[in-house]
Amino acid sequence: MMTNLDLTEEQQAIRDTVRRYAREKIAPRAAELDASAEFPRETVKELAEMGIFGIGFPEDEGGMGGDTLSYILAVEELSRVDGSHGITLAAHCSLGVWPIYAFGTPEQKAKYMPKICAGEYLSSFGLTEPEAGSDAGGTRTTAVLDGDQWVINGSKQFITNATHAGVLVITARTDLEAKRSHGISAFLLETDAPGFSLGKKEDKLGLRASDTRALVFEDCRIPKDALLGEEGHGFPIFMKTLDGGRISIAALALGIGQGALDEAATYSMERKQFGRRICDFQMIQTYLADMHTELTAARHLTYHAARLKDAGRRHVIESAMAKYFASTAAMKATCLAIQIHGGYGYTKDYPVERYFRDAKLCEIGEGTSEIQRIVIARELLKMHAD
């Protein structure tokens, strides 16, 4: 059971609405979608009609008028029954919509925000490349100005929502002489742009109903005014975007971990061994206690980071700590849930094996756990140096 953790009535209402929808409409199909790796078009459309894809953005921008924490609650509740739905929402809002909202010109926001907040089409974020994952400053995709158009060449890897996106936020090197993170710019690219194509669909371990593909740019041409923010300042844009995105992945991990705990607790009260319910055995109680304690701690970290973001305060270390701790807690919780289920947990008859596979991405995406430790340590040392 989860407490309200000082949520407002509006936040509780959003959480309860998404929870109810997820349990009634998504949970019955989650295993089927995982097996087929089919993108959940129907439920995504219904969530869009509910306003969920614009939940954390102002009404005058086309959003629902909620805050970051409301959005985080929605990601958590979707992920509690199916991580694929959770990451679809997370990648759209935190990586696709937010940089347009935060750095777009009035004209760019007027063109895209109403449609992406309404979920008419999804938005996506193209940062990772075959040779530039954790090393984001190693971007090799290039953008060269040719008259009134940018000509883009290169590729991106592991891009969520790519097939269903109408507009992409991508990064490319505009100053070919600049070193490392310098000389990288951000762009808005409509997916019908000439020279743009999608790569193969990834056959993934987990989050299988989430759409993940490569992006390919072959003399891809976009208008000069498709530049997002200032030329050469793309690196700070996507670093700030990732600060918020890490809170989303923490929420994804929370939901997956909580879903595994829900299943494990219920199973332990039903399963009998040696003539007793297994929840009566101290070792099982220890497992459940560890799972609940660590997920509760992760929830406090995650909600705190979201509240800092809502307050307009710096949240670099808080986002990194939330993502690192929540993803670690989720991985442990899903592993213990399988252990509690025993042999049945290793089969597809129970959802805990799916939670286990889904949780692993949380330790990798939007900065690996190793990267989070580096971010945390650097921020900590800055504090002590001041």
Side-chain angles (χ1 to χ4, degrees):
M1 178 179 289
M2 291 164 30
T3 61
N4 287 330
L5 292 172
D6 297 322
L7 301 180
T8 65
E9 289 185 6
E10 182 179 355
Q11 290 165 345
Q12 291 179 49
I14 289 171
R15 180 198 62 189
D16 294 345
T17 298
V18 177
R19 178 183 296 173
R20 184 165 51 251
Y21 178 84
R23 289 178 175 176
E24 293 176 359
K25 296 294 186 73
I26 298 174
R29 292 197 61 209
E32 171 194 341
L33 292 169
D34 173 73
S36 66
E38 175 189 355
F39 184 77
R41 294 173 182 270
E42 180 181 340
T43 44
V44 165
K45 181 181 178 182
E46 290 178 351
L47 287 167
E49 291 169 352
M50 292 165 61
I52 300 302
F53 284 92
I55 191 170
F57 300 97
E59 292 181 4
D60 60 5
E61 297 281 6
M64 189 175 172
D67 53 16
T68 302
L69 183 51
S70 297
Y71 152 65
I72 288 303
L73 291 165
V75 173
E76 181 182 357
E77 290 300 328
L78 291 175
S79 306
R80 195 170 174 179
V81 301
D82 179 40
S84 292
H85 279 79
I87 198 171
T88 297
L89 176 63
H92 171 78
C93 289
S94 65
L95 299 183
V97 184
W98 188 82
I100 299 175
Y101 168 68
F103 300 103
T105 64
E107 293 77 17
Q108 288 171 334
K109 292 200 283 186
K111 181 177 182 180
Y112 296 115
M113 286 294 292
K115 291 182 179 179
I116 51 183
C117 284
E120 290 185 26
Y121 51 74
L122 298 182
S123 185
S124 191
F125 185 66
L127 171 62
T128 301
E129 298 184 1
E131 301 297 326
S134 294
D135 180 17
T139 296
R140 296 187 179 183
T141 297
T142 61
V144 177
L145 193 59
D146 180 22
D148 61 354
Q149 292 183 320
W150 292 98
V151 181
I152 302 174
N153 282 283
S155 64
K156 301 292 180 178
Q157 189 87 359
F158 306 134
I159 308 305
T160 306
N161 295 340
T163 304
H164 307 278
V167 61
L168 305 166
V169 178
I170 68 163
T171 56
R173 190 169 291 280
T174 48
D175 184 345
L176 306 186
E177 302 301 320
K179 302 292 185 181
R180 303 297 303 151
S181 62
H182 301 285
I184 298 174
S185 301
F187 297 91
L188 297 175
L189 185 145
E190 297 180 16
T191 51
D192 60 356
F196 169 75
S197 62
L198 293 171
K200 73 178 181 70
K201 178 182 178 181
E202 299 293 347
D203 186 10
K204 299 175 295 183
L205 170 71
L207 303 171
R208 291 175 51 77
S210 162
D211 176 61
T212 308
R213 291 182 183 265
L215 311 178
V216 181
F217 312 100
E218 297 176 308
D219 290 330
C220 175
R221 290 182 172 268
I222 60 175
K224 183 178 180 180
D225 62 5
L227 181 70
L228 181 64
E230 297 181 34
E231 183 177 344
H233 288 77
F235 193 82
I237 287 177
F238 63 71
M239 284 294 101
K240 291 179 181 177
T241 299
L242 289 175
D243 284 339
R246 286 165 181 158
I247 310 175
S248 302
I249 299 301
L252 173 70
L254 267 178
I256 294 170
Q258 185 65 49
L261 174 55
D262 295 341
E263 294 290 336
T266 299
Y267 183 83
S268 73
M269 291 187 289
E270 297 171 347
R271 176 67 168 167
K272 290 185 177 181
Q273 290 284 278
F274 306 103
R276 299 169 61 189
R277 299 181 307 169
I278 64 172
C279 67
D280 294 327
F281 294 114
Q282 190 173 31
M283 184 59 71
I284 299 299
Q285 293 176 0
T286 299
Y287 288 164
L288 294 172
D290 285 352
M291 295 161 75
H292 181 62
T293 300
E294 290 169 15
L295 289 170
T296 299
R299 186 167 289 108
H300 279 279
L301 280 171
T302 303
Y303 290 12
H304 176 58
R307 287 180 169 120
L308 287 177
K309 187 172 188 294
D310 280 328
R313 294 172 58 186
R314 197 168 188 270
H315 53 277
V316 177
I317 191 169
E318 290 83 2
S319 297
M321 289 192 299
K323 181 189 181 297
Y324 169 58
F325 192 84
S327 59
T328 302
M331 202 68 233
K332 180 178 176 180
T334 57
C335 186
L336 287 177
I338 290 177
Q339 196 71 14
I340 290 170
H341 280 69
Y344 290 112
Y346 204 66
T347 73
K348 294 186 181 294
D349 294 335
Y350 290 83
V352 289
E353 65 84 29
R354 171 167 54 85
Y355 286 122
F356 178 78
R357 289 185 285 107
D358 287 353
K360 187 58 191 175
L361 184 278
C362 300
E363 294 187 315
I364 299 171
E366 293 193 41
T368 63
S369 292
E370 291 79 8
I371 291 293
Q372 303 315 311
R373 285 168 166 160
I374 292 171
V375 171
I376 294 164
R378 285 177 178 171
E379 290 296 310
L380 176 65
L381 292 172
K382 285 180 186 177
M383 295 177 196
H384 282 270
D386 291 340

